[in-house]
Amino acid sequence: MPLCGAPSRKDRPLTVHHLNQLLLVSALVLLVAVAAVRISSRSGLPSLLLYLGIGIAMGQDGIGDVSFSDAEMTQVIGYAALVVILAEGGLGTKWKEIKPALPAAAALSLVGVAVSVGVTAAGAHYIVGLEWHQALIIGAVVSSTDAAAVFSVLRKVPLPSRITGVLEAESGFNDAPVVILVVAFSAAGPVEHWYVLVGEIALELAIGAAIGLAVGWAGSYGLRHVALPASGLYPIAVMAIATVAYAAGAMAHGSGFLAVYLAAMVMGNAKLPHWPATRGFAEGLGWIAQIGMFVLLGLLVTPHELADDIVPALLIGLVLTVIARPLSVVISLAPFRIPWREEALMSWAGLRGAVPIILATIPMVTGVEGSRRIFNIVFVLVVVYTLVQGPTLPWLARKLRLGSSDAAADLGIESAPLERLRGHLLSVAVPDGSRMHGVEVGELRLPKGSAVTLVVREGASFVPSPTTVLRHGDELLVVATDPVRDAAEARLRAIAHGGKLAGWLGTGGETAR
């Protein structure tokens, strides 16, 4: 029995020894998670499932025996992680690629979400027997797609840019209306007038979009005209500006998630200084955010409580996958006359990831009756249908003739600025399937002011001549002056897709003059 006045075990202060133990456990978890990335890349399974598995293994039903049930903390950390993930996604979004897909993506994010919520909620009510309140919450929660889960299994299957553009933009846009719906359905009182809710969603999206674009433009202008004392401060400044966009949007009663995505997208297309370092920093933060978020969600779930909710989750997931998602795609994209094969792939590519599981904590925090069951159903649904849909997406793409192993693969190009020389050093990787294979260096016809200076082949490097024939697996170092940097990259990508006759075949790309 402890002495009177002695601090209990729970009240003891954090010591250096405890901090060392915490750091050791955190480092081990990160190492295991990094290994999980490698496993997922080889197996084709989304890394989401492996991270959740780590969390479950550490939980009270696993080998770690860690008891964790704080839904409010999970929601807060999950929101913070989503801000980082959306910022990283916005920074990597190329405006030229998604611009043609914006109308279709907006329709999917608004009309498609409404259709998906209604159909899924009806299935949960009439088939599973849930009350309308709980059914609407589940319908809203599972209506958000996850780009990371989609592209983790499609990375080896080249697809038309229209499909990837629509899916990427949709995943960035549909989080905002879904969050608004879940919060509204989880409120204490019922939603009396649907048109009031629609008006609130439109207003919040408009406020979030305006703030995101304004913060992104102001941040880009400042970073281009203010010289920071160290290059390592630029990545930190970019992520800080993206976070400011989220906070400003949320404080103005707008959509903070839409604000952070748009602000990051504006900065990502503004040619900021030290961009390669900024992009790498954002990617690293994004991975850490995903790993931490998924592990925490795995800790929150109690596996032995899932047994009674497996069948309802499978039934609701079946309605969502087979009826709600295809119907939302067909109705939303009807004005755009998209071929049925592309609509079929988009319907099957509606993977759910971390966002639905995080949103399922909102009714738990607000005290909605049956909220724990809602969380369990959503958890099982996401895990099971990710296992079913993820590995089959490449197969379906090939069956629909939208991607094959013989299709030309895109180049991997990284750029490092040579500021004092007013130039850029491009690192170009020639992947398998690229039509740059067999092309001579002289036939690249790069614009004046750019040249291939080095070729790395099978571990050996050499200076190429104009007659050097490029091969699969080669890595090229291309030096380009600042005025022709974009033209040189465009020409390289054109050659990769159209071969040495790219300019004659109409595949674009600048040529030497």
Side-chain angles (χ1 to χ4, degrees), residues 143-154:
S143 294
S144 179
T145 58
D146 189 291
V150 173
F151 292 112
S152 66
V153 295
L154 286 178

Side-chain angles (χ1 to χ4, degrees), residues 8 15 21 25 53 83 116 128 274 285 472 474 495:
S8 64
T15 64
Q21 289 180 329
V25 172
V83 170
S116 180
V128 178
H274 304 285
L285 281 185
H472 293 147
D474 284 354
I495 293 289

Side-chain angles (χ1 to χ4, degrees), residues 10-332:
K10 293 183 179 179
D11 298 330
R12 290 176 184 172
L14 182 66
T15 64
V16 174
H17 177 67
H18 295 150
L19 180 60
N20 291 339
Q21 289 180 329
L22 179 61
L23 291 175
L24 176 61
V25 172
S26 301
L28 290 176
V29 171
L30 284 176
L31 287 174
V32 174
V34 170
V37 175
R38 183 63 176 173
I39 295 174
S40 68
S41 65
R42 288 182 174 272
S43 64
L45 294 176
S47 55
L48 154 70
L49 301 180
L50 297 173
Y51 301 151
L52 286 175
I54 294 173
I56 293 175
M58 294 173 57
Q60 55 185 332
D61 286 353
I63 58 177
D65 196 23
V66 176
S67 180
F68 179 80
S69 58
D70 194 335
E72 187 172 3
M73 180 184 292
T74 303
Q75 180 184 337
V76 172
I77 296 177
Y79 272 30
L82 283 177
V83 170
V84 175
I85 293 171
L86 285 173
E88 190 272 330
L91 291 173
T93 299
K94 296 182 179 179
W95 173 246
K96 292 181 180 179
E97 294 182 359
I98 72 163
K99 181 180 179 180
L102 283 181
L108 269 177
S109 302
L110 297 174
V111 179
V113 164
V115 173
S116 180
V117 170
V119 175
T120 305
H125 176 71
Y126 291 110
I127 298 176
V128 178
L130 296 178
E131 298 179 357
W132 272 114
H133 188 201
Q134 298 175 349
L136 285 172
I137 293 176
I138 288 183
V141 164
V142 299
S143 294
S144 179
T145 58
D146 189 291
V150 173
F151 292 112
S152 66
V153 295
L154 286 178
R155 62 188 177 276
K156 295 183 179 179
V157 183
L159 292 174
S161 59
R162 177 163 58 178
I163 296 179
T164 56
V166 170
L167 292 175
E168 182 176 355
E170 179 201 8
S171 64
F173 294 156
N174 66 8
D175 290 343
V178 167
V179 170
I180 297 172
L181 286 175
V182 175
V183 171
F185 292 151
S186 301
V191 179
E192 296 182 357
H193 304 292
W194 64 268
Y195 53 86
V196 175
L197 180 59
V198 172
E200 290 179 354
I201 292 176
L203 179 61
E204 291 192 23
L205 293 178
I207 293 174
I211 291 178
L213 294 174
V215 172
W217 179 86
S220 302
Y221 181 85
L223 290 174
R224 288 199 306 267
H225 292 82
V226 177
L228 297 178
S231 60
L233 293 176
Y234 283 90
I236 299 175
V238 168
M239 296 304 295
I241 292 170
T243 305
V244 167
Y246 170 81
M251 293 177 66
H253 301 286
S255 172
F257 291 116
L258 182 60
V260 66
Y261 182 77
L262 291 178
M265 185 173 67
V266 171
M267 290 188 291
N269 289 271
K271 297 181 180 179
L272 299 178
H274 304 285
W275 177 244
T278 300
R279 188 75 184 97
F281 180 79
E283 288 180 354
L285 281 185
W287 275 111
I288 292 176
Q290 290 188 58
I291 292 170
M293 180 172 57
F294 294 150
V295 170
L296 192 64
L297 291 172
L299 281 173
L300 184 62
V301 73
T302 306
H304 71 263
E305 296 179 355
L306 300 178
D308 295 336
D309 298 317
I310 292 178
V311 173
L314 294 178
L315 293 175
I316 295 174
L318 190 64
V319 173
L320 172 67
T321 306
V322 179
I323 302 176
R325 172 66 180 182
L327 193 61
S328 66
V329 170
V330 171
I331 294 177
S332 302

